[in-house]
Amino acid sequence: MMRLKELLEGIPVLSATADLEMEISDVCYDSRAVKPGGLFVAMTGFAVDGHDFIEKALEAGAVAVLCQRAPGGEIPYVQVEDSRRALAVAGANFFGHPAGGMTMVGVTGTNGKTTTTYLLKAILEQAAGAKVGLIGTNQNMIGREIIPTERTTPESFEVQRLFAQMRDAGCTHVVMEVSSHALALDRVYGVHYRVGVFTNLTQDHLDFHGTMEEYCRAKALLFQNCGVGVVNADDPWTSRLMENSTCKTLTYAEEAQADLRAEEIVLEADHVSFTAAAQGRRVPVRVNIPGRFMVYNTLDVLGAALSMGISLEDSARVLAEVPPVKGRVEVVPTPGRNYTVLIDYAHSPDGLENVLSSVKGFAKGRTVAVFGCGGDRDKAKRPKMGAAAAKNADFLVVTTDNPRTEDPESIIAGILPGLEGSDTPYVVVTDRIEAIHWAMDHAEEGDVIVLCGKGHETYQEINHVKHHMDEREIVADYLRIER
């Protein structure tokens, strides 16, 4: 319980009719989840407007409303200029500002966020003896405890609740993926990060941001709220990203001059290795995930650790023992078969190019890509996905991903123009399970089949319903069938 005026501390109030001395038992922004005695926060969204649900929230037991537009009648309300930001501040107040007592690390970028956070969590735990909370795409974690997640960065009140759980469980550090949506929608508003990490920027989420410039501007917000920015000097967007930054900077690169560089890079089928050069030191590094993109995903981790006082030698020692991340170039067992199946979360043109070009570098046979595009998302990237796959694979099986509310056939029709002019053969198999079966049935000796797009996900979303679909199970079940 907290008095309303305490909950509003730090929030500019335009007007109010609610009793500021009243006790508030909970804060909620979804009228369907309101509890008696709670404060309902009405936010203006892209699909719905929370102000339209004020009456339902009151009927469910809300005792006051925090809103941007003053409601009519006798409704007890507090009017603010920005209810999204107000929710974030209220959440921090309600849970006692949990982030302030922990070392916060935020990772943003189009690709590589999940791998970066997992590797950094391992280094902090094993080299620094920290207890680490993790918030990310695959799952949330408090130390070793796993907490399922619905999206990369939850709404601000849930973020603060997670921070409080982590603080109460004794976490000293939090490593989290910070999506462009979270930054643009103020889900991490008011959170100060000791370290912010930038992986890269390539086309994605333009259905939300509109342009690459706006996408970049959203990512840049992280570096206006952190102490040290660990950024990719090889990425062409980095200079624009850091234009208005307020933090110190540590750069990393393969090509450009940087504070931390990767040299003598060696790519193998099951790992990458290189020499990390920084601060006059040269340290051999190995990480057990294949692909050239892993060089960058390792450099950013080393840079973040360095900025927190962990030496290259200590980080390298941990990285050499860290197992692969689920859904990132993950090998699916295919006992007795002469081909390999991999699962990867690649769902952007750059992500496809990274994983497929890496696989092509070690595949003894063909690189076969099974991929599609998500429905209700950036349509402009669909032909680019097709072109990236055609350029970097030897055979394509074009199928669905999460069609959501779109017709799968129309999604595929958006991909196919990207294949025009390419000599790469392909088939279209609309049903994703059948597409996986088709790829396995037609595999040749030495082939590597890459199931792209789902990664860690164990469902397929169709018309707002998530149907169970674990590609590991699909492969295993199909191999049990005698053919």
Side-chain angles (χ1 to χ4, degrees):
M1 299 285 286
M2 176 174 283
R3 285 187 297 173
L4 180 57
K5 72 176 183 180
E6 295 171 332
L7 197 62
L8 297 174
E9 188 173 337
I11 302 173
V13 174
L14 300 180
S15 65
T17 61
D19 178 6
L20 300 185
E21 297 294 332
M22 73 167 67
E23 294 283 348
I24 299 295
S25 62
D26 191 25
V27 178
C28 193
Y29 52 89
D30 184 340
S31 62
R32 297 166 297 184
V34 168
K35 298 175 183 176
L39 173 71
F40 175 65
V41 181
M43 297 191 296
T44 301
F46 292 90
V48 296
D49 187 341
H51 293 78
D52 296 335
F53 299 91
I54 288 175
E55 291 290 347
K56 287 188 176 180
L58 293 170
E59 290 171 5
V63 292
V65 175
L66 186 80
C67 53
Q68 288 179 209
R69 300 195 305 273
E74 302 298 317
I75 294 172
Y77 71 86
V78 176
Q79 184 184 11
V80 296
E81 185 175 337
D82 189 325
S83 53
R84 283 191 176 278
R85 290 189 173 184
L87 177 65
V89 176
N93 291 338
F94 191 81
F95 292 107
H97 298 274
M102 299 179 289
T103 298
M104 308 296 296
V105 181
V107 181
T108 198
T110 305
N111 298 308
K113 296 187 297 294
T114 297
T115 302
T116 296
T117 55
Y118 272 77
L119 296 180
L120 187 53
K121 180 177 186 285
I123 289 173
L124 288 169
E125 290 172 337
Q126 297 176 44
K131 183 169 184 178
V132 183
L134 181 144
I135 300 176
T137 305
N138 279 18
Q139 60 198 11
N140 300 325
M141 300 181 73
I142 299 177
R144 294 184 179 180
E145 179 188 356
I146 296 172
I147 305 170
T149 182
E150 286 294 317
R151 55 187 175 190
T152 302
T153 315
E155 192 54 78
S156 60
F157 197 77
E158 271 63 52
V159 168
Q160 295 294 337
R161 191 194 306 276
L162 272 170
F163 290 164
Q165 287 180 264
M166 292 169 178
R167 174 200 60 197
D168 296 345
C171 289
T172 56
H173 293 67
V174 174
V175 179
M176 64 182 295
E177 298 180 45
V178 186
S179 68
S180 57
H181 289 72
L183 290 159
L185 296 174
D186 291 318
R187 292 177 188 160
V188 291
Y189 179 77
V191 178
H192 182 78
Y193 295 90
R194 177 171 173 181
V195 181
V197 178
F198 171 61
T199 60
N200 51 52
L201 195 73
T202 60
Q203 183 171 336
D204 203 7
H205 304 307
L206 296 194
D207 55 311
F208 177 79
H209 296 289
T211 66
M212 287 295 293
E213 287 73 18
E214 285 299 317
Y215 186 25
C216 181
R217 191 171 290 115
K219 296 288 190 188
L221 292 172
L222 178 63
F223 302 95
Q224 297 163 30
N225 292 284
C226 71
V228 179
V230 178
V231 299
N232 182 352
D234 284 340
D235 192 282
W237 286 94
T238 295
S239 59
R240 189 174 306 190
L241 182 92
M242 301 301 286
E243 279 178 356
N244 298 310
S245 66
T246 57
C247 59
K248 297 177 181 178
T249 304
L250 186 154
T251 57
Y252 64 90
E254 287 184 29
E255 305 295 337
Q257 290 300 311
D259 300 313
L260 171 63
R261 283 178 46 83
E263 301 173 354
E264 301 166 344
I265 298 168
V266 177
L267 308 177
E268 299 290 351
D270 61 349
H271 73 276
V272 298
S273 61
F274 59 90
T275 298
Q279 301 173 343
R281 304 189 66 80
R282 296 176 59 81
V283 177
V285 177
R286 171 184 168 133
V287 67
N288 299 312
I289 305 173
R292 192 175 190 94
F293 60 93
M294 274 308 302
V295 177
Y296 286 109
N297 289 351
T298 307
L299 282 172
D300 62 9
V301 169
L302 294 171
L306 269 177
S307 71
M308 290 184 283
I310 301 172
S311 69
L312 290 176
E313 290 86 352
D314 285 345
S315 292
R317 174 178 51 80
V318 175
L319 290 174
E321 303 298 327
V322 176
V325 179
K326 183 177 181 180
R328 271 62 178 179
V329 202
E330 176 186 349
V331 178
V332 182
T334 51
R337 301 306 194 273
N338 57 10
Y339 58 85
T340 302
V341 177
L342 302 178
I343 290 176
D344 193 83
Y345 190 50
H347 60 283
S348 68
D350 184 62
L352 271 181
E353 180 173 350
N354 283 339
V355 69
L356 295 176
S357 63
S358 297
V359 170
K360 205 166 185 177
F362 62 75
K364 293 182 173 62
R366 301 175 303 166
T367 298
V368 179
V370 179
F371 78 103
C373 291
D376 304 333
R377 297 294 186 268
D378 182 7
K379 294 182 180 181
K381 79 174 183 181
R382 293 174 184 174
K384 295 180 180 180
M385 292 275 285
K391 178 183 176 182
N392 295 283
D394 301 303
F395 194 94
L396 309 177
V397 183
V398 184
T399 185
T400 54
D401 192 301
N402 287 316
R404 299 185 177 91
T405 65
E406 276 197 76
D407 175 18
E409 299 287 352
S410 70
I411 298 173
I412 291 171
I415 296 171
L416 297 182
L419 307 183
E420 293 175 3
S422 170
D423 294 330
T424 304
Y426 71 92
V427 296
V428 173
V429 183
T430 303
D431 183 275
R432 191 172 178 97
I433 295 175
E434 291 179 7
I436 294 170
H437 294 169
W438 193 98
M440 294 169 67
D441 282 341
H442 293 82
E444 300 173 4
E445 183 175 353
D447 282 357
V448 179
I449 301 170
V450 189
L451 310 181
C452 305
K454 300 297 292 174
H456 60 283
E457 294 178 353
T458 55
Y459 62 85
Q460 185 175 51
E461 185 177 344
I462 303 172
N463 291 323
H464 304 297
V465 178
K466 291 184 176 180
H467 303 269
H468 180 75
M469 190 178 76
D470 187 329
E471 295 184 333
R472 299 153 197 81
E473 295 173 3
I474 292 168
V475 171
D477 290 345
Y478 203 57
L479 289 176
R480 293 192 190 103
I481 302 172
E482 291 295 333
R483 294 186 303 282

